[in-house]
Amino acid sequence: MSLIVKHKNIKRIVFPAFMLSTSFVWGQKAVNDTVKNGIKDIEEVVVIGYGKVKKSDLTGSVSSVSAKDLAATPAMNALQALQGRAAGLNIVTAGGAPGASANVTIRGGSSITQSSDPLYIVDGFQLDNALNVINPNDIESIDVLKGASAIAIYGARGSNGIIVIKTKSGKKGRTVVNYNTFMSFDMLSKKLDMLSNPEQYVKYQYELGVLQSKPSAWSNVFDNNLGTDSPGFYSGAYQRIANRYGSASALDWQEKMLGGTGLTQNHNVNVSAGNDKTQAFISYNYNKQEGLLQNYSETRNSLRANITSELYKGVRVDFNTMFTNNSVNGGGAYSGMKKILLQPITGGTLFTQDQLFNTQTFPDFSALDSGFDTENPFIETQASTSNKRTRTFVANAGIEFDFLKNFTWRTAGQYSWTNSKSTSFSDQNSRAFLTDPINTGINGNIANAETFRYQITNTLNYNKTFGEKHKVNALIGNEIWYEESEGSSMRLTKFPYPNFGLDDIANATVADKNTDRSSNSLLSYFARVNYNYDNRYLITGTIRADGSSKFAEGSRWGYFPSVAGAWRVSQENFWQGHKIDKIVNDFKLRIEYGVTGNNGVANNLWRTNVLLTDYPMNNTQGYPAYVTSTNWGNRDLQWEELRTTNIGVDLAFFKNRIKLTSEWYNNNVSKMLFESVLPVSSGYSRQYQNIGSMRNRGMEFTLNTVNLRSENFRWTTDLNISFNKSKVLSLENGQLNKTFSVGGSRTGMVTYYATVGEELGDMYGYIYQGVYTTDDFTQNPDGSLTLKPGVVKPSTGAPKPGDMKFAADNEAGDQFTRKMQKIGNGTPDFIGGISNNFSYKGFDLAVFMKFSVGNDIYNATKQSLSPYAMFQNVPSEFGNNYYHLIDPNTGQATTNLIRLKELNPDENSRLWSLSNANTVNIAYPSSYYVEDGSYLRISQVTLGYSFPKEFLNKVMLSNARIYFTVNNLATITGYSGYDPEVTAASGVTVTPGYDSSTYPRSRSYVLGLNLTF
């Protein structure tokens, strides 16, 4: 069961807990002891653009995650392993479905409407979606580049930050074989509390049916089709319900659909071998994950080979290749949780419980109430299936040679190819067929896409030390990058029955077809100079020029400079040998400023396309004609620019027992790439323009401590925490705000505002103030009701007790007029992660937690579960506490205030009634659905045991470890939905915190084994 702690102010209980676990350094002996591992950490190498640098010589803002950190996390992909482990990096997966996508942002991203995805560089080359493609067992290190000095060398592609991945390579020495495997058992971590008492459910259905003038529909399902004109139909209804359903059983749809166990198995084997001249590494990974829902799964196969060799002294070559084959069933992200939750819990007198679960009851229920829109999920997941298969092949090769003592030339190239095929098919039992058997019928879709790209990079590196104290490293280079993609798709309808599905489409009707092809290229020149004086004063300067085919001639080139400096104060004579040096043994100040760009828009937006259409003449169609598209090309479209400033402090205490990195940054984005709405008089509807600006400003802290270290025991803690605050500085044509509507009237809808002077993520809607009660009305002699003076009036119509009440928004303050107001913000105040690692002799224990504080969630799932159609279930919160309008004695609605007061003694705490007015009101975006999304999640707990050397020698192993892991152990949150970790609705930074029927995350129990031969 999930650990749920409801607390209105989670901030007070989260932050102190983190600090307690990171503030202890026990034992005087340990403090004074030489910490060799800590000293080694200072000399770690960080991979930066087109090179690498010692951590001690770093001038830019970089967060690093090692292979050791990743290896401790049994995960399907590197995205899961990296969550919460790097300051400034926010990874939120879109639910718990196999193959689910994720939103990845660094320091809040740099765009409002365009993608916020960072640039991924793998072994020096760009690879889209790399954290999902690369086998996590193949990763040597991950460096997250955030500051200007680090990202400006990538110019056009670095504005959203850069994630640099270095894969493993062969080592000198004997051949080493590693085999890693784990098996995971996945279970539903939490169930939503839905109405589960059949008697309450049928009484609720009766009230809904009577108030919506559909009592005969209710009787058809729940009362053996008793006629409404039968004596006592209304007055005896509640007694008949009690007699028939008082001891009836309920169908638990969550348990039936999600209550099983999903199995995940992972097998990875790699071989490393090498001598002084040549080293080789080869790995294979197989991973299969079964989802909690039937027909949901992901299967991944990946193969990687890496060879490096020194052909002659000073001449080196390398070759790296990878192939992955990934297949996702179920579409990757399930959007139909409401279809499970809203299912009837009893079939009444119309269906047995077995029929209710095993037959497609949608036609019967929808015929009785056209608003019923939830087909049987058990049947639908069999009748409607989908699959996406993606194959990726990548080959890198490079040669470098040293000459003139201090120079190194390198030429490297990459070719990558990706092919994907997406299919979906709906048979005769699907909703698509049942709702439109004539025009749609049995139907399916096929889409194929293929992309290839190549990259060629030439660099010349100069490395020289002058007079022992002056070190200069200079780099110049150029790069050519080209990408081409094409795709085709078909929508097919009216398959005959029986059929062979998409294996034979000859007898289907092609309802729609489409093809597309595009290409774009980038030509770049870059240079960087690093100067180091006596390991005290460090300066880095970079410049890059990028020319992109996405822009018209005259606007294609962007220029992106940066400069950074660092001062290692602890290397100064006045510091060394002083008392403070015994406490603070490393102290470095850093500052950097630079410009990067973004061309992340579609190709050819600078030109206006011409479309073929039909022009009728003389009342006759069929005359071809060419017209311009409604989107007007913009030849002045140019680079979006990010100007970033970063100030950092690196500290190490007690001989590196405690290490702290603090960063302050200010990122300003200008000339943003917006799709602007044009006036009708222009003859066009839209045009991409460089308009608007925004800012992200924040602080980041990374703390690493060795809390306790003795001969047999070690306890370390790693904490990172990030604060980011965005602000919209300007929008198009002097506008003060821009709106983004998300969702629909029956799936949960809210509007986000990007407002000048405000931060991103603002949710707008109406402020819910409970329901109208009997105290709000005066009953007239004729029985009618009059609203008392001072009580807020609704936007339309005359209210009744039990109707939803919204706050007044007019100038007089007495009426609700449906004026949008701010109801929440989906952006957290701060996020982070904390890891505690313990080791004792052969045992190891790791506890990793991550947290998010201060963000709101728009619970669209909760809104979609509000009552709007008969026969659908509701949350128990509603079913036990809605405002009753039906008098059980008469079985009819009453408007008598005294009787309504008796039926609803706790009026002010009641939810709204089932009146027709409220079927409209529930579709409004409302503050009622906004909840605090703060959480602290115990993401992973791992207990492992490494066998002793004496045993390993007997069985001819060099290492053997077994472990047990629990993922998603517990979540401390006040959020009522399945999970508070929800992604941006439309994949852009402007719409965070929207939760609509997300596929729930599971809790997994993992058994693993690591062997080294």
Side-chain angles (χ1 to χ4, degrees):
M1 297 178 63
S2 292
L3 174 60
I4 303 296
V5 177
K6 294 188 176 182
H7 198 287
K8 292 183 179 179
N9 192 356
I10 195 172
K11 298 179 187 179
R12 294 182 179 175
I13 64 174
V14 173
F15 190 70
F18 298 149
M19 298 312 296
L20 283 174
S21 62
T22 60
S23 59
F24 297 105
V25 181
W26 290 356
Q28 184 65 32
K29 179 180 178 181
V31 172
N32 294 328
D33 205 14
T34 300
V35 186
K36 295 180 180 179
N37 289 339
I39 295 173
K40 183 179 179 181
D41 288 343
I42 286 289
E43 300 305 320
E44 281 183 0
V45 172
V46 176
V47 180
I48 58 175
Y50 308 99
K52 54 189 177 182
V53 65
K54 290 190 300 182
K55 244 184 182 180
S56 58
D57 294 340
L58 195 63
T59 58
S61 176
V62 179
S63 294
S64 299
V65 181
S66 68
K68 181 181 178 181
D69 297 326
L70 296 173
T73 306
M76 278 287 290
N77 53 54
L79 276 170
Q80 297 174 3
L82 196 57
Q83 280 184 303
R85 297 185 184 272
L89 176 65
N90 191 21
I91 300 174
V92 183
T93 54
S101 61
N103 274 0
V104 182
T105 55
I106 297 175
R107 292 183 168 179
S110 65
S111 186
I112 291 180
T113 59
Q114 304 305 310
S115 172
S116 61
D117 290 342
L119 173 68
Y120 297 97
I121 301 295
V122 180
D123 295 327
F125 298 95
Q126 180 177 340
L127 180 64
D128 292 343
N129 200 25
L131 292 176
N132 247 332
V133 175
I134 298 290
N135 171 17
N137 296 277
D138 290 345
I139 296 176
E140 182 71 32
S141 65
I142 296 178
D143 295 297
V144 183
L145 312 186
K146 301 174 288 185
S149 176
I151 64 178
I153 193 68
Y154 285 105
R157 299 172 291 166
S159 62
N160 283 320
I162 301 167
I163 296 179
V164 179
I165 300 172
K166 183 181 182 298
T167 62
K168 294 177 180 178
S169 58
K171 306 296 183 184
K172 298 178 183 179
R174 69 179 185 87
T175 300
V176 177
V177 179
N178 291 290
Y179 173 66
N180 302 318
T181 184
F182 67 80
M183 184 170 291
S184 173
F185 303 90
D186 304 329
M187 302 175 187
L188 186 64
S189 61
K190 177 184 177 181
K191 291 168 64 175
L192 294 190
D193 192 8
M194 303 297 292
L195 192 61
S196 58
N197 183 297
E199 182 179 354
Q200 286 182 328
Y201 168 76
V202 177
K203 285 181 179 178
Y204 153 79
Q205 290 291 333
Y206 175 82
E207 183 150 348
L208 182 65
V210 171
L211 293 175
Q212 293 193 357
S213 303
K214 298 175 183 177
S216 60
W218 174 87
S219 177
N220 190 300
V221 176
F222 299 110
D223 205 8
N224 211 22
N225 206 19
L226 181 67
T228 57
D229 55 354
S230 300
F233 175 84
Y234 293 101
S235 59
Y238 276 68
Q239 186 60 50
R240 294 196 304 275
I241 292 172
N243 295 339
R244 182 172 285 145
Y245 298 99
S247 59
S249 60
L251 183 58
D252 187 342
W253 283 92
Q254 291 182 87
E255 181 64 28
K256 285 282 190 179
M257 296 297 299
L258 300 164
T261 301
L263 179 65
T264 298
Q265 54 177 316
N266 179 285
H267 303 277
N268 187 86
V269 60
N270 63 64
V271 181
S272 174
N275 54 33
D276 290 339
K277 292 289 186 180
T278 302
Q279 299 85 44
F281 178 87
I282 186 170
S283 73
Y284 170 73
N285 179 253
Y286 170 81
N287 201 321
K288 182 171 183 180
Q289 179 185 13
E290 296 176 354
L292 297 178
L293 279 171
Q294 62 177 341
N295 292 330
Y296 277 75
S297 65
E298 179 183 17
T299 304
R300 182 195 304 268
N301 286 272
S302 65
L303 180 67
R304 172 178 288 276
N306 187 333
I307 300 173
T308 60
S309 180
E310 186 177 24
L311 297 181
Y312 307 99
K313 185 178 180 179
V315 179
R316 296 169 296 277
V317 296
D318 55 87
F319 179 73
N320 193 336
T321 186
M322 178 194 74
F323 176 77
T324 64
N325 184 20
N326 192 49
S327 179
V328 178
N329 290 315
Y334 186 59
S335 61
M337 282 309 303
K338 78 164 196 171
K339 296 178 181 179
I340 293 176
L341 300 171
L342 288 178
Q343 288 301 308
I345 62 173
T346 175
T349 57
L350 185 62
F351 298 108
T352 65
Q353 297 297 74
D354 182 71
Q355 290 172 330
L356 186 64
F357 183 72
N358 289 295
T359 59
Q360 181 58 282
T361 56
F362 171 73
D364 301 271
F365 288 128
S366 60
L368 295 169
D369 184 351
S370 59
F372 186 90
D373 59 357
T374 50
E375 63 274 8
N376 185 319
F378 178 69
I379 301 300
E380 189 66 23
T381 51
Q382 300 174 72
S384 297
T385 57
S386 63
N387 173 268
K388 182 175 183 179
R389 184 188 66 207
T390 305
R391 294 169 176 168
T392 302
F393 171 77
V394 179
N396 307 337
I399 182 171
E400 63 180 27
F401 57 91
D402 305 327
F403 65 99
L404 298 179
K405 191 177 180 179
N406 299 311
F407 290 89
T408 299
W409 175 271
R410 176 173 174 82
T411 295
Q414 180 195 69
Y415 175 84
S416 66
W417 168 85
T418 300
N419 174 267
S420 64
K421 181 179 181 180
S422 301
T423 61
S424 63
F425 188 77
S426 298
D427 68 19
Q428 68 279 0
N429 293 313
S430 68
R431 176 179 175 173
F433 175 86
L434 295 171
T435 54
D436 189 7
I438 304 300
N439 297 313
T440 301
I442 301 172
N443 64 93
N445 291 272
I446 303 174
N448 289 281
E450 184 175 25
T451 300
F452 79 86
R453 83 167 47 118
Y454 66 78
Q455 177 180 330
I456 299 174
T457 304
N458 299 292
T459 58
L460 176 63
N461 196 290
Y462 173 76
N463 201 349
K464 175 77 172 176
T465 300
F466 301 90
E468 296 184 358
K469 291 187 177 182
H470 302 271
K471 298 178 184 179
V472 176
N473 177 265
L475 171 78
I476 61 171
N478 87 298
E479 192 167 77
I480 300 171
W481 184 89
Y482 177 80
E483 179 184 70
E484 185 174 311
S485 61
E486 59 182 351
S488 62
S489 62
M490 284 192 301
R491 185 169 65 90
L492 303 154
T493 60
K494 302 179 184 179
F495 278 83
Y497 181 77
N499 60 76
F500 294 98
L502 298 178
D503 294 331
D504 183 2
I505 64 173
N507 294 317
T509 299
V510 179
D512 189 25
K513 58 184 183 293
N514 183 57
T515 62
D516 64 85
R517 181 180 179 276
S518 65
S519 64
N520 79 92
S521 57
L522 199 69
L523 175 62
S524 307
Y525 301 93
F526 52 88
R528 178 177 61 215
V529 177
N530 293 317
Y531 172 71
N532 180 332
Y533 174 73
D534 198 25
N535 291 324
R536 286 184 287 165
Y537 310 114
L538 312 169
I539 298 176
T540 300
T542 65
I543 180 70
R544 180 167 178 132
D546 284 314
S548 173
S549 66
K550 290 188 176 183
F551 305 118
E553 291 186 16
S555 303
R556 286 180 174 169
W557 286 92
Y559 301 93
F560 310 106
S562 77
V563 62
W567 176 26
R568 294 193 66 191
V569 183
S570 55
Q571 293 296 104
E572 296 288 352
N573 292 332
F574 67 80
W575 192 279
Q576 293 186 342
H578 195 275
K579 290 182 180 180
I580 194 173
D581 186 36
K582 297 180 180 180
I583 301 174
V584 183
N585 55 279
D586 191 55
F587 177 21
K588 183 167 69 173
L589 296 172
R590 294 179 282 107
I591 185 169
E592 53 187 313
Y593 174 81
V595 181
T596 59
N598 182 17
N599 65 339
V601 292
N603 301 325
N604 303 319
L605 293 176
W606 55 272
R607 68 187 186 192
T608 305
N609 293 328
V610 176
L611 306 176
L612 177 64
T613 187
D614 184 85
Y615 187 80
M617 290 190 301
N618 298 324
N619 295 322
T620 304
Q621 292 183 336
Y623 294 92
Y626 291 95
V627 297
T628 58
S629 69
T630 57
N631 288 354
W632 189 13
N634 184 0
R635 297 189 63 86
D636 295 325
L637 198 65
Q638 57 181 288
W639 295 93
E640 186 175 281
E641 283 190 354
L642 169 68
R643 298 178 181 271
T644 180
T645 303
N646 192 94
I647 299 174
V649 179
D650 301 323
L651 296 168
F653 303 87
F654 306 118
K655 296 184 179 181
N656 302 323
R657 288 291 296 271
I658 300 176
K659 291 188 288 186
L660 172 67
T661 296
S662 303
E663 309 269 3
W664 176 88
Y665 63 87
N666 185 62
N667 294 345
N668 284 287
V669 188
S670 61
K671 298 189 290 187
M672 298 179 69
L673 295 166
F674 261 110
E675 188 177 31
S676 178
V677 177
L678 299 178
V680 177
S681 59
S682 69
Y684 298 89
S685 62
R686 296 178 181 273
Q687 182 188 54
Y688 268 89
Q689 299 176 358
N690 292 103
I691 47 178
S693 58
M694 66 171 286
R695 182 187 73 202
N696 276 299
R697 180 181 290 171
M699 296 191 71
E700 299 166 357
F701 300 93
T702 301
L703 180 65
N704 311 107
T705 64
V706 181
N707 304 319
L708 186 61
R709 198 183 77 150
S710 64
E711 183 178 353
N712 293 319
F713 182 77
R714 183 180 177 90
W715 170 28
T716 63
T717 299
D718 301 310
L719 166 70
N720 72 83
I721 184 168
S722 305
F723 301 80
N724 182 76
K725 199 77 168 178
S726 62
K727 185 176 182 179
V728 180
L729 302 178
S730 64
L731 292 170
E732 59 181 300
N733 302 323
Q735 287 184 353
L736 295 179
N737 56 62
K738 192 175 180 70
T739 61
F740 304 83
S741 294
V742 179
S745 61
R746 294 309 182 201
T747 58
M749 180 175 65
V750 68
T751 300
Y752 287 83
Y753 274 51
T755 304
V756 173
E758 303 293 334
E759 66 177 320
L760 293 176
D762 281 346
M763 304 168 182
Y764 273 69
Y766 311 129
I767 298 176
Y768 176 74
Q769 291 190 328
V771 299
Y772 289 96
T773 67
T774 56
D775 294 334
D776 294 328
F777 297 89
T778 300
Q779 189 136 36
N780 302 315
D782 62 355
S784 62
L785 302 176
T786 300
L787 201 63
K788 291 181 179 179
V791 180
V792 60
K793 293 176 286 187
S795 58
T796 58
K800 300 183 295 296
D803 284 357
M804 297 176 76
K805 182 193 291 185
F806 298 99
D809 52 28
N810 63 336
E811 291 185 7
D814 62 353
Q815 186 171 10
F816 167 59
T817 64
R818 294 187 62 184
K819 178 182 178 182
M820 288 281 189
Q821 301 182 65
K822 182 177 177 179
I823 57 176
N825 185 283
T827 304
D829 294 334
F830 60 91
I831 60 172
I834 180 171
S835 177
N836 281 285
N837 297 280
F838 307 85
S839 62
Y840 176 71
K841 294 185 177 180
F843 292 93
D844 60 88
L845 174 66
V847 181
F848 175 66
M849 299 179 288
K850 61 181 179 178
F851 54 89
S852 176
V853 175
N855 55 297
D856 293 316
I857 296 176
Y858 191 82
N859 193 343
T861 303
K862 187 175 183 178
Q863 186 174 11
S864 70
L865 301 180
S866 299
Y868 61 87
M870 291 190 64
F871 316 121
Q872 294 175 338
N873 200 11
V874 289
S876 59
E877 173 190 24
F878 188 91
N880 296 328
N881 196 42
Y882 65 93
Y883 196 99
H884 295 286
L885 299 178
I886 298 294
D887 187 341
N889 296 331
T890 64
Q892 300 275 21
T894 179
T895 58
N896 183 278
L897 295 182
I898 296 176
R899 183 55 177 153
L900 287 173
K901 185 76 172 180
E902 293 173 349
L903 295 174
N904 305 279
D906 48 352
E907 284 184 285
N908 290 316
S909 63
R910 293 265 169 173
L911 294 175
W912 53 89
S913 72
L914 303 177
S915 69
N916 285 323
N918 285 331
T919 62
V920 176
N921 292 336
I922 60 173
Y924 293 162
S926 164
S927 61
Y928 174 77
Y929 304 111
V930 177
E931 302 183 38
D932 182 7
S934 302
Y935 70 88
L936 169 64
R937 186 194 303 281
I938 305 177
S939 293
Q940 189 172 82
V941 178
T942 298
L943 176 63
Y945 176 73
S946 298
F947 290 90
K949 292 293 183 182
E950 296 79 6
F951 171 78
L952 297 176
N953 292 334
K954 293 178 181 179
V955 294
M956 294 183 293
L957 290 171
S958 60
N959 182 66
R961 176 177 176 264
I962 58 173
Y963 63 89
F964 173 70
T965 296
V966 182
N967 290 316
N968 193 18
L969 176 61
T971 302
I972 301 173
T973 184
Y975 183 58
S976 66
Y978 272 118
D979 197 294
E981 186 181 340
V982 295
T983 186
S986 57
V988 294
T989 56
V990 75
T991 58
Y994 180 81
D995 182 11
S996 179
S997 290
T998 302
Y999 190 114
R1001 284 176 178 81
S1002 60
R1003 176 176 297 118
S1004 58
Y1005 302 90
V1006 184
L1007 288 172
L1009 174 67
N1010 307 135
L1011 298 175
T1012 302
F1013 298 89

